[in-house]
Amino acid sequence: MQGPNQTLVTEFILLGFSLSPRTTPLLFTAFLMIYLLIILGNGLISILICLDSHLHTPMYFFIGVLSMLDLGYTTTTVPQMLAHLASHKKTISFSRCVAQMYIFLVLGVTESWLFAIMSIDRYVAICHPLRYKILMSPWLCGVMVTFCGLCGVASALVYTIFAMRLPYCGPNQINHFFCEIPAVLKLACADTSVNDQVDFILGFSVILIPMSLIFVIYVSIFTAIVRIRSSQGRLKAFSTCASHITVVTMFCVPAMVMYMKPGSKASPEEDKKLALFYNIISAFLNPIIYSLRNKDVKRAFLKVTGWNRSPE
């Protein structure tokens, strides 16, 4: 049990990145530009999907949800990181740290399961194209997204409760740029072996199970693709799958390494690089991967902006 005099920490200090004073302005500018592009890219995709009726399909519905999740969890961490880079004050209150930890996990776990749902959508579209609209009904898509959200809420609650039940009575310097559970647990004044076990079990359920499901589904998809007689049809199917596989790899693999390894083997500098990858870089690249060569998105953009003068 936690004694009354053990929880002495009322705020944490986020050490962020080990930089020289000359490097800090450059890093601030780089992250600010990336964050603005994340807002622009993901926000634009969400708006286009809402405004253009041609994008009111299950695939673009899920892409729109993905864009909103990317906006959410980068906004949970990046503005604070920018504020700390721009000032000497790098503190965060205990309650704000817990809130940041929980919101980030809710959105991250939801996104992990959303990737699995998106692979199911691709499977139905490629393997059962004639029944696609019937099978992937708006009601079913809504239920799937709700399931992802509930998994995120429940898993994040367990993660956060097990992390915050520990006493924090000593050092309060978090060697990270935001309150991520593996970094916070290093400051606990108690044995964290139970937390390592909980993190591994939950990591299995929220990362490995979705990734295994994605793997099994894509084996079936690729088996179906090689049977397509048209080379153009095979290329189109492979292109759609390649986009999804790329974003899954960028997000899930670093997250799996972060949350499923024991805390004693964690390296602060490596953890920060991994977190940058699945927190910022993946959110920055997702709109590019999904829209750069996507004719539907380009057409929707031209239509919404009024630049498309050709008749329907």
Side-chain angles (χ1 to χ4, degrees):
M1 294 293 291
Q2 183 177 321
N5 294 325
Q6 285 185 298
T7 308
L8 302 178
V9 174
T10 58
E11 65 178 15
F12 292 107
I13 299 173
L14 292 166
L15 297 181
F17 302 95
S18 303
L19 301 168
S20 65
R22 294 181 179 179
T23 311
T24 300
L26 295 176
L27 194 66
F28 174 86
T29 304
F31 281 132
L32 177 61
M33 293 302 298
I34 291 173
Y35 180 58
L36 293 176
L37 289 173
I38 288 173
I39 294 175
L40 177 63
N42 288 284
L44 182 60
I45 286 182
S46 301
I47 293 170
L48 291 177
I49 292 172
C50 289
L51 295 180
D52 194 321
S53 59
H54 292 94
L55 300 183
H56 292 176
T57 64
M59 182 181 76
Y60 289 109
F61 170 70
F62 294 131
I63 291 176
V65 174
L66 176 64
S67 295
M68 297 305 295
L69 291 173
D70 285 344
L71 279 173
Y73 72 73
T74 51
T75 300
T76 304
T77 60
V78 178
Q80 174 195 263
M81 178 183 67
L82 292 173
H84 287 179
L85 285 171
S87 66
H88 296 290
K89 186 179 181 181
K90 303 180 185 298
T91 59
I92 182 171
S93 67
F94 189 90
S95 58
R96 283 183 58 200
C97 185
V98 174
Q100 184 185 62
M101 186 187 303
Y102 178 73
I103 295 171
F104 180 81
L105 285 170
V106 168
L107 299 174
V109 173
T110 301
E111 183 158 328
S112 178
W113 275 105
L114 181 66
F115 285 133
I117 298 302
M118 293 172 76
S119 68
I120 295 174
D121 173 70
R122 291 298 82 207
Y123 170 79
V124 177
I126 294 171
C127 299
H128 304 282
L130 298 179
R131 303 175 60 196
Y132 178 65
K133 291 184 178 180
I134 299 174
L135 294 175
M136 297 301 296
S137 65
W139 179 83
L140 181 60
C141 293
V143 169
M144 287 179 167
V145 170
T146 301
F147 167 78
C148 296
L150 291 175
C151 285
V153 170
S155 301
L157 189 63
V158 175
Y159 266 119
T160 307
I161 288 175
F162 270 86
M164 292 299 100
R165 71 180 180 85
L166 297 172
Y168 294 89
C169 51
N172 67 338
Q173 294 184 336
I174 301 175
N175 195 358
H176 212 296
F177 61 88
F178 73 101
C179 289
E180 190 161 39
I181 282 184
V184 175
L185 285 177
K186 294 178 181 180
L187 305 182
C189 305
D191 181 25
T192 60
S193 57
V194 174
N195 293 77
D196 288 339
Q197 295 174 7
V198 171
D199 290 352
F200 182 84
I201 294 171
L202 284 175
F204 182 85
S205 65
V206 304
I207 300 176
L208 275 186
I209 291 180
M211 286 191 69
S212 300
L213 180 61
I214 292 169
F215 176 79
V216 171
I217 289 173
Y218 269 108
V219 169
S220 301
I221 289 176
F222 290 145
T223 303
I225 288 176
V226 295
R227 296 174 183 170
I228 299 176
R229 295 181 181 181
S230 167
S231 58
Q232 186 176 0
R234 286 196 301 269
L235 182 62
K236 183 178 179 181
F238 272 122
S239 178
T240 303
C241 296
S243 299
H244 183 245
I245 292 173
T246 301
V247 297
V248 168
T249 303
M250 288 191 307
F251 181 86
C252 291
V253 172
M256 181 175 62
V257 174
M258 172 73 79
Y259 281 91
M260 296 191 69
K261 65 182 177 182
S264 58
K265 296 184 179 180
S267 166
E269 297 306 318
E270 290 181 4
D271 286 352
K272 281 184 270 190
K273 292 176 184 177
L274 288 172
L276 277 176
F277 213 87
Y278 62 76
N279 179 208
I280 300 175
I281 296 177
S282 65
F284 170 68
L285 293 177
N286 283 352
I288 300 174
I289 293 170
Y290 274 118
S291 63
L292 188 61
R293 295 183 300 172
N294 191 307
K295 294 180 180 179
D296 293 334
V297 174
K298 290 179 180 179
R299 186 163 48 245
F301 176 76
L302 294 175
K303 180 180 177 181
V304 170
T305 56
W307 293 349
N308 185 9
R309 300 301 179 185
S310 62
E312 291 292 338

